[in-house]
């Protein structure tokens, strides 16, 4: 396979973070003003006694000159907790026309909402929009297309589909606040190795052949049983990759029929809170053609894999939804 896990993996974990932390994972990454910036999820306060729970989740920041060695900021960045909201998590970052746009999932008393926020300095942040529940895994494209901001998202229609059968959707917006023109991009049934759900992963990167973008794809096997720290965990999260049309980005033009990454190392498959999880949230295309893909492993640590952009594009065989 043309993708390689970085020998320094995991590149960030709880032991590196100078504030209370148990699980450091599902990060968004961007290149901004000459350095790499990562916003990571931190679940902390894991209780010693049953019922063992985490007391909180926050989003922390880390900075890097090479995208491999990271220095976390001394304090958490975002911890959103009020009467309605219990937490914001799984951040993604896109630089759109020089502006920092952050997406995150927001757990509320009335469902999970997809949040879009902006910051000018990675300190103060302002929420621009919150979707209706249930929706998450939002990612914004790095440029406007036909004058409109674009996003991928993953609603989870539990009532109408009866169980996990969740798909990837597209919407656009004139201003990052009002979203519409919603269209189906890829159904879970389109991904041969998924039998449960799929969702957007890192923000897409532009190539001459199309928008290259990762997604996560889940297969469920009831025989999996005890796994990680939990009594039952039957799912396995793979990374997938596809190409979207440059002008009509709700159209899939290429799809890799096999996973890009499947849990296989100890830190993805055996160790951690939820074993068998690869959850990409960051993708950087370097001038050299190297692509850095950042992913949470086993809901416990943050990892990096690299590939050449031409190899990733070549994996995406011509595709159109029937
Ligand atoms: C999803 C999200 C992610 C998590 C994944 C695997 O539903 O909650 O945050 O990484 O499950 O546990």
């Amino acid at each position: 396979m043309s993708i390689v896990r970085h020998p320094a993996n995991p590149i960030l974990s709880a032991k590196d973070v100078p504030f209370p932390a148990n699980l450091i994972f599902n990060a968004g990454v961007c290149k901004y003003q000459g350095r790499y910036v990562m916003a990571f999820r931190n679940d902390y306060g894991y209780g010693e006694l049953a019922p063992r729970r985490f007391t909180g989740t926050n989003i922390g920041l880390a900075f890097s000159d090479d995208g491999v060695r990271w220095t976390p900021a001394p304090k958490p960045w975002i911890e959103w907790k009020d009467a309605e909201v219990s937490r914001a998590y799984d951040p993604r970052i896109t630089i759109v026309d020089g502006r920092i746009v952050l997406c995150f999932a927001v757990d509320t008393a009335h469902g999970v909402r997809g949040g879009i926020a902006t910051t000018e300095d990675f300190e103060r942040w302002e929420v621009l929009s919150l979707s209706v529940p249930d929706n998450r895994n939002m990612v914004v494209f790095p440029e406007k297309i036909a004058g409109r901001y674009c996003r991928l998202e993953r609603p989870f229609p539990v009532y109408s589909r009866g169980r996990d059968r969740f798909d990837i959707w597209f919407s656009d917006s004139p201003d990052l606040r009002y979203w519409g023109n919603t269209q189906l991009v890829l159904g879970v049934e389109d991904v041969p190795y998924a039998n449960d759900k799929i969702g957007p992963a890192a923000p897409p990167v532009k190539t001459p052949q199309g928008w290259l973008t990762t997604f996560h794809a889940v297969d469920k096997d009831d025989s999996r049983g005890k796994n990680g720290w939990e009594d039952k965990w039957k799912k396995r999260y793979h990374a997938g990759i596809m190409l979207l049309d440059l002008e009509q980005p709700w159209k899939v033009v290429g799809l890799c029929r096999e996973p890009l990454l499947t849990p296989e190392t100890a830190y993805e498959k055996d160790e951690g809170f939820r074993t068998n999880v690869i959850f990409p949230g960051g993708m950087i295309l370097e001038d050299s053609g190297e692509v850095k893909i950042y992913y949470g492993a086993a809901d416990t640590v943050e990892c990096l894999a690299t590939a050449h952009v031409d190899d990733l594009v070549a994996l995406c065989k011509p595709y159109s939804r029937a």
Side-chain angles (χ1 to χ4, degrees):
M1 184 53 118
S2 42
I3 184 159
V4 178
R5 287 167 173 82
H6 199 283
N9 277 349
I11 54 157
L12 200 72
S13 57
K15 68 173 173 23
D16 305 316
V17 173
F19 45 82
N22 289 118
L23 311 176
I24 298 293
F25 64 117
N26 293 3
V29 180
C30 68
K31 241 175 157 175
Y32 187 67
Q33 295 182 343
R35 63 181 178 167
Y36 298 81
V37 183
M38 174 190 288
F40 57 81
R41 167 173 171 182
N42 169 30
D43 289 3
Y44 65 88
Y46 194 62
E48 294 288 319
L49 302 172
R52 301 186 68 178
R53 295 219 172 87
F54 295 92
T55 36
T57 293
N58 52 40
I59 294 174
L61 286 173
F63 302 94
S64 173
D65 292 327
D66 60 6
V68 178
R69 283 162 302 174
W70 292 86
T71 306
K75 290 185 191 148
W77 180 32
I78 295 175
E79 182 143 11
W80 189 359
K81 207 168 168 46
D82 57 34
E84 178 66 16
V85 173
S86 54
R87 60 179 186 162
Y89 58 102
D90 290 359
R92 272 81 162 196
I93 316 173
T94 313
I95 308 300
V96 195
D97 301 332
R99 188 171 181 204
I100 307 164
V101 177
L102 195 72
C103 298
F104 40 50
V106 183
D107 283 356
T108 80
H110 297 88
V112 183
R113 305 178 69 180
I116 298 183
T118 185
T119 178
E120 287 179 7
D121 48 14
F122 288 105
E123 285 181 22
R124 284 176 306 123
W125 50 282
E126 179 199 351
V127 173
L128 299 176
S129 68
L130 280 171
S131 73
V132 289
D134 280 340
N135 199 334
R136 68 174 165 207
N137 297 312
M138 265 172 202
V139 293
V140 170
F141 285 66
E143 59 185 70
K144 289 191 210 164
I145 301 168
R148 298 178 75 83
Y149 294 98
C150 297
R151 77 181 182 196
L152 300 174
E153 61 197 307
R154 211 289 306 283
F156 30 132
V158 180
Y159 182 79
S160 52
R161 303 207 73 186
R163 62 187 176 100
D164 284 13
R165 290 297 286 173
F166 309 145
D167 316 298
I168 298 176
W169 292 77
F170 169 94
S171 299
D172 68 22
S173 168
D175 55 6
L176 293 169
R177 291 180 189 273
Y178 297 94
W179 291 91
N181 187 30
T182 300
Q183 319 222 23
L184 180 64
V185 174
L186 193 69
V188 61
E189 69 280 6
D190 299 324
V191 179
Y193 51 91
N195 66 8
D196 189 69
K197 60 180 173 177
I198 58 174
V205 301
K206 195 175 194 181
T207 75
Q209 295 83 0
W211 293 101
L212 182 65
T213 195
T214 49
F215 56 89
H216 65 258
V218 180
D219 80 278
K220 198 172 164 198
D221 177 348
D222 284 337
S223 71
R224 285 199 184 112
K226 171 114 184 92
N227 203 348
W229 301 4
E230 296 174 305
D231 289 340
K232 285 191 179 156
W233 178 244
K234 299 173 177 178
K235 295 176 184 172
R236 177 169 58 167
Y237 279 64
H238 313 259
I241 191 145
M242 64 178 165
L243 267 178
L244 306 176
D245 186 83
L246 285 175
E247 272 107 50
Q248 298 181 303
W250 53 90
K251 288 192 180 155
V252 181
V253 294
L255 176 70
C256 181
R257 287 1 181 232
E258 285 157 26
L260 177 65
L261 289 168
T262 280
E264 55 187 47
T265 65
Y267 52 82
E268 295 159 353
K269 200 163 67 68
D270 305 320
E271 302 159 0
F273 180 66
R274 278 185 168 166
T275 51
N276 272 331
V277 178
I278 288 183
F279 199 88
M283 185 173 185
I284 305 280
L285 173 56
E286 306 287 6
D287 293 342
S288 65
E290 184 197 59
V291 177
K292 293 185 170 76
I293 295 176
Y294 295 88
Y295 63 98
D299 281 5
T300 303
V301 293
E302 187 64 21
C303 293
L304 169 64
T306 59
H308 195 280
V309 64
D310 295 343
D311 294 337
L312 295 179
V313 169
L315 287 173
C316 301
K317 304 296 181 214
Y319 187 81
S320 63
R321 296 197 77 245

